[in-house]
């Protein structure tokens, strides 16, 4: 599985790396023009997906914002 959000729409997506099939999609408060990362917390063993979401004022298709968004992975 691979995560990507480098588009002008405010979504992050997960794709099957072998088939290219979209497996999951979530809306962000602004475009995710950053590299997503995952980490596992030692305290609870859960894995998280984190991305910085922020729009650009000169690209009218992107909402402006700045946020750090985290998701818990199953």
């Amino acid at each position: 599985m691979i995560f990507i959000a480098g588009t002008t729409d405010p979504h992050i997506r997960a794709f099957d790396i072998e088939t290219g099939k979209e497996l999951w999609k979530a809306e962000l408060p602004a475009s995710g023009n950053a590299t997503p990362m995952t980490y596992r917390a030692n305290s609870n063993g859960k894995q998280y997906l984190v991305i910085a979401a922020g729009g650009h004022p000169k690209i009218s298709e992107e909402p402006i914002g700045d946020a750090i968004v985290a998701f818990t992975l199953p």
Side-chain angles (χ1 to χ4, degrees), residues 35-73:
T35 302
M37 72 170 217
T38 66
Y39 68 94
R40 184 176 308 273
N42 288 335
S43 61
N44 61 16
K46 291 184 179 180
Q47 188 173 6
Y48 299 91
L49 167 67
V50 180
I51 188 163
H56 192 285
K58 294 187 179 191
I59 301 175
S60 61
E61 295 86 6
E62 292 185 359
I64 297 173
D66 57 352
I68 302 293
V69 182
F71 300 91
T72 303
L73 298 178

Side-chain angles (χ1 to χ4, degrees), residues 15-23:
F15 290 93
D16 182 311
I17 199 163
E18 293 180 5
T19 67
K21 180 181 176 185
E22 184 179 292
L23 303 172

